[in-house]
Amino acid sequence: MKRKALALAVCLALSPGVAGAAATDGTAQLRAAVRSLVDELVRNGVLPQERAGEVVERAMLRARRAAASESRESPREAGEAQAAEPAGGVRVPYIPEPVRKEIIEQIRPSVRQDVVQDILKQAREERWGMPDAFPAWVNRISFFGDIRLRAQTDNFAAGNTDSFGNPSYYPNIQRINQRRSDSGGVEDSLNTTEDQKNMRLQVRVGMLAKVSESVDALVRISTGSTNNPVSTNYTFSNSFSSAQLVLDQGYLRYQSDQKSVTLLGGRLPNPFLTTDLVWDNDLNFDGLAATYRRVPGGAAAGGTGFRPFLTLGAFPMQTPDRGRDDKWLYGSQLGFDWGFGRSKLSVGAAYYAFSNIVGQANALGDDSLDYTAPQFVQKGNTVYLINDPDPANFKPLYGLASEFREVDLIGSLDTAFGATHVIVTAHYVKNIGFDLEEVRNRITSSPNGYLFPGVNEVEEDSTGYLVKLTVGAPKLQKRGDWQTSWTFRRLGRDAVVDAFTDSDFHLGGTDAKGWILGGSYAVARNTWLSLRYLTSDAIKGQPFGIDTWQLDINARF
């Protein structure tokens, strides 16, 4: 409080006036105003008591000299100033320029330098005495966002055919589950032969509010849809219809003083050290997450040294009607960041457990277990029919055949050579929840007596891995920054939940292997071009090869 009062007093002395003050109110009122200001400086220890009277008298003398050499305010101007004063407002006496200068000259030798710096810092932050100053809450809010325009070409391999020369057949499980219809025709199967060209737009705009010293609130909206968690793209194919906007993120964040503890709650970004092998880059989580990161010697996070961390998260996925099992994702990760020299090593070991995610077969004529089917799938996971196959009332619905408990290991080494960074990343995942005998028994014991095509040949393929080499600037910020990368990845059919992995490679899902080559160049500040080539093939089943080209124009603000 003492510093605040002192700062206000000095601010009055330094400011050119207060909005609503019109002109001097006479010598007596001016003396009272100057005396009040000087007394405030004395009370706060800025000005010695013995100098108070001298400062007042010298200030008044300078005021009288200035008044004698300047013309007085005209009656018309005084009347306009008085009319401009709001009714019932507090009138602040105007302190003439000569008086302010005299006070400044008198108190300057007596003010400690550290006090001056503190006052000036606080004045800049709170914009004291500035007539165009915004309310305090405005200074606690900032906005950010990015825009990406993409041209994409998907070329399907000429060899995508079965042994009879017919196009490879892959059921579109998401479409079948939504429509509850499977004709076995083109409309209910994935495209495996017809090349496609698309233009897509991604727009994301966010607001960060500083609620307190330790609590932030963030809200971000984006293009996208409410039934696809792994894409924020808007495809230009709707005859110029408006794009849909969705709540992409919305969460509260608490951080301790040294940022060693971070708590997140709401619709939040991925809190784990990861790549898109397991989680798509556009995926956000609903729920709670907490991270503890040891900060060596009390230094700010992000410096050199050894910094172990632990992240825990609980995320509800689906809450069915009362009396039915909720679907949850529980995640934990233990790891460390180690900065040494011009290098940084990041390592993490994670465990992701999905609860109640396996599809459960209904009894004949019953549909009470329909809720166990996944709300969203891409492609790849082993699935089976969980409802009545009666041809007279056939409404197919597929559920996942395997449990998913994923062990995840990741490591990344970033070494800087001047402005150029070389980053090597390795990622491995194993679904220890996959039990081949259990999966086969679950399918063959289903009372529905109907198997997904090819299910008798179910084999275990529950591992995935990725290696990536990146060279260039880790983040493109200024003109001339560049980056290139090469990635090889193999993701088994049931290594991860196919709904949440990368939606670009193999056009989404699991059961795919191949590589990615990409490059980016910044053409202006926070503006860059990117070109990627992705080539992939199915690991199991019928031939399914895809070559994808992506040309992006990106801008960040």
Side-chain angles (χ1 to χ4, degrees):
M1 293 297 295
K2 180 177 179 180
R3 179 173 293 175
K4 184 75 172 183
L6 169 60
L8 288 173
V10 175
C11 187
L12 284 172
L14 300 178
S15 63
V18 180
T24 61
D25 292 301
T27 303
Q29 292 189 18
L30 178 60
R31 177 181 290 274
V34 173
R35 185 75 210 191
S36 177
L37 174 61
V38 171
D39 288 346
E40 186 68 27
L41 296 174
V42 171
R43 277 195 298 273
N44 285 276
V46 177
L47 194 65
Q49 177 65 52
E50 58 270 17
R51 296 200 57 222
E54 176 189 351
V55 171
V56 173
E57 293 305 321
R58 292 190 60 172
M60 293 304 299
L61 176 62
R62 191 161 186 171
R64 287 192 293 271
R65 289 175 179 173
S69 62
E70 297 179 1
S71 60
R72 293 183 177 275
E73 183 185 50
S74 69
R76 178 172 176 268
E77 291 172 334
E80 291 175 350
Q82 185 175 2
E85 182 178 346
V90 178
R91 182 175 176 83
V92 181
Y94 174 75
I95 301 178
E97 180 71 20
V99 177
R100 293 199 308 274
K101 289 182 178 180
E102 183 64 32
I103 294 175
I104 293 171
E105 291 175 2
Q106 292 296 312
I107 69 173
R108 181 180 287 118
S110 304
V111 180
R112 300 196 318 272
Q113 186 63 29
D114 59 336
V115 175
V116 172
Q117 294 302 321
D118 287 346
I119 293 171
L120 291 178
K121 179 181 178 181
Q122 191 169 357
R124 282 194 301 268
E125 292 176 351
E126 301 184 11
R127 300 167 64 85
W128 295 343
M130 297 183 66
D132 63 336
F134 295 105
W137 62 265
V138 174
N139 296 321
R140 299 196 301 269
I141 292 179
S142 59
F143 295 90
F144 61 93
D146 59 83
I147 296 177
R148 182 185 69 201
L149 181 63
R150 167 172 292 176
Q152 178 167 323
T153 299
D154 302 317
N155 298 319
F156 296 89
N160 289 352
T161 57
D162 61 18
S163 57
F164 299 101
N166 299 314
S168 297
Y169 176 73
Y170 283 82
N172 188 336
I173 301 300
Q174 178 67 10
R175 181 177 174 84
I176 293 171
N177 279 3
Q178 286 179 336
R179 295 176 68 244
R180 301 301 297 272
S181 174
D182 184 5
S183 65
V186 174
E187 66 275 12
D188 293 318
S189 63
L190 298 173
N191 176 24
T192 61
T193 58
E194 301 296 327
D195 295 348
Q196 291 184 324
K197 295 181 180 180
N198 292 296
M199 288 194 66
R200 295 189 169 112
L201 176 69
Q202 174 185 269
V203 177
R204 300 184 294 190
V205 178
M207 178 191 73
L208 176 64
K210 190 73 174 177
V211 179
S212 66
E213 291 300 318
S214 56
V215 177
D216 299 328
L218 187 144
V219 176
R220 189 173 76 178
I221 60 174
S222 73
T223 48
S225 67
T226 57
N227 58 7
N228 187 339
V230 292
S231 178
T232 52
N233 287 319
Y234 167 68
T235 301
F236 297 161
S237 61
N238 257 346
S239 298
F240 309 132
S241 297
S242 299
Q244 183 179 7
L245 292 179
V246 296
L247 179 64
D248 187 41
Q249 293 179 358
Y251 63 93
L252 291 174
R253 176 178 61 190
Y254 165 82
Q255 288 185 310
S256 60
D257 291 342
Q258 295 295 331
K259 297 184 178 181
S260 58
V261 175
T262 301
L263 304 177
L264 301 174
R267 181 161 177 78
L268 46 96
N270 191 331
F272 303 106
L273 175 65
T274 189
T275 69
D276 58 13
L277 180 72
V278 178
W279 308 113
D280 186 273
N281 292 328
D282 290 331
L283 180 69
N284 294 297
F285 292 82
D286 300 329
L288 302 171
T291 297
Y292 170 75
R293 188 181 301 270
R294 192 180 75 84
V295 181
T304 60
F306 185 78
R307 300 183 303 279
F309 65 84
L310 172 65
T311 299
L312 303 173
F315 313 101
M317 295 173 54
Q318 184 179 348
T319 305
D321 295 336
R322 184 183 303 176
R324 296 178 175 179
D325 294 328
D326 297 349
K327 297 181 181 181
W328 282 75
L329 164 64
Y330 301 97
S332 59
Q333 186 175 57
L334 181 65
F336 64 85
D337 296 319
W338 181 25
F340 54 97
R342 296 183 59 82
S343 299
K344 177 183 177 182
L345 176 65
S346 298
V347 173
Y351 178 68
Y352 305 116
F354 290 85
S355 175
N356 302 316
I357 197 173
V358 177
Q360 300 178 40
N362 286 300
L364 294 177
D366 187 17
D367 62 0
S368 61
L369 297 176
D370 283 3
Y371 75 93
T372 64
Q375 292 178 307
F376 176 76
V377 299
Q378 295 193 82
K379 61 177 180 291
N381 287 162
T382 302
V383 297
Y384 76 112
L385 194 69
I386 66 171
N387 66 329
D388 192 342
D390 182 1
N393 187 32
F394 186 45
K395 296 182 179 180
L397 188 65
Y398 291 97
L400 297 176
S402 171
E403 298 276 5
F404 284 87
R405 297 192 299 274
E406 302 164 12
V407 175
D408 177 294
L409 303 175
I410 184 173
S412 179
L413 177 62
D414 181 344
T415 302
F417 298 91
T420 301
H421 287 241
V422 177
I423 306 171
V424 179
T425 302
H427 196 176
Y428 173 84
V429 63
K430 167 70 175 178
N431 177 19
I432 62 174
F434 186 92
D435 185 308
L436 181 58
E437 182 177 356
E438 185 179 274
V439 169
R440 285 176 173 168
N441 288 339
R442 181 173 291 120
I443 296 172
T444 56
S445 64
S446 169
N448 302 318
Y450 181 88
L451 302 181
F452 180 80
V455 79
N456 290 321
E457 293 78 35
V458 167
E459 299 176 5
E460 180 173 357
D461 193 357
S462 57
T463 61
Y465 61 88
L466 170 152
V467 290
K468 182 176 182 179
L469 174 65
T470 304
V471 180
K475 187 175 182 180
L476 304 181
Q477 295 178 310
K478 63 182 185 300
R479 182 177 181 180
D481 284 351
W482 58 274
Q483 182 188 98
T484 61
S485 65
W486 175 84
T487 305
F488 179 82
R489 55 184 288 161
R490 183 193 187 280
L491 191 58
R493 177 182 294 275
D494 294 297
V496 300
V497 178
D498 69 32
F500 306 128
T501 188
D502 183 22
S503 61
D504 291 327
F505 185 76
H506 204 58
L507 299 184
T510 62
D511 190 32
K513 62 180 179 180
W515 51 273
I516 306 168
L517 181 64
S520 301
Y521 182 80
V523 295
R525 181 174 178 269
N526 291 327
T527 305
W528 66 99
L529 299 176
S530 297
L531 178 64
R532 288 206 307 169
Y533 172 67
L534 306 86
T535 180
S536 62
D537 290 286
I539 300 173
K540 305 289 185 181
Q542 298 181 21
F544 192 5
I546 309 172
D547 291 339
T548 297
W549 291 89
Q550 294 176 336
L551 176 62
D552 297 343
I553 302 175
N554 306 270
R556 179 177 55 236
F557 56 90

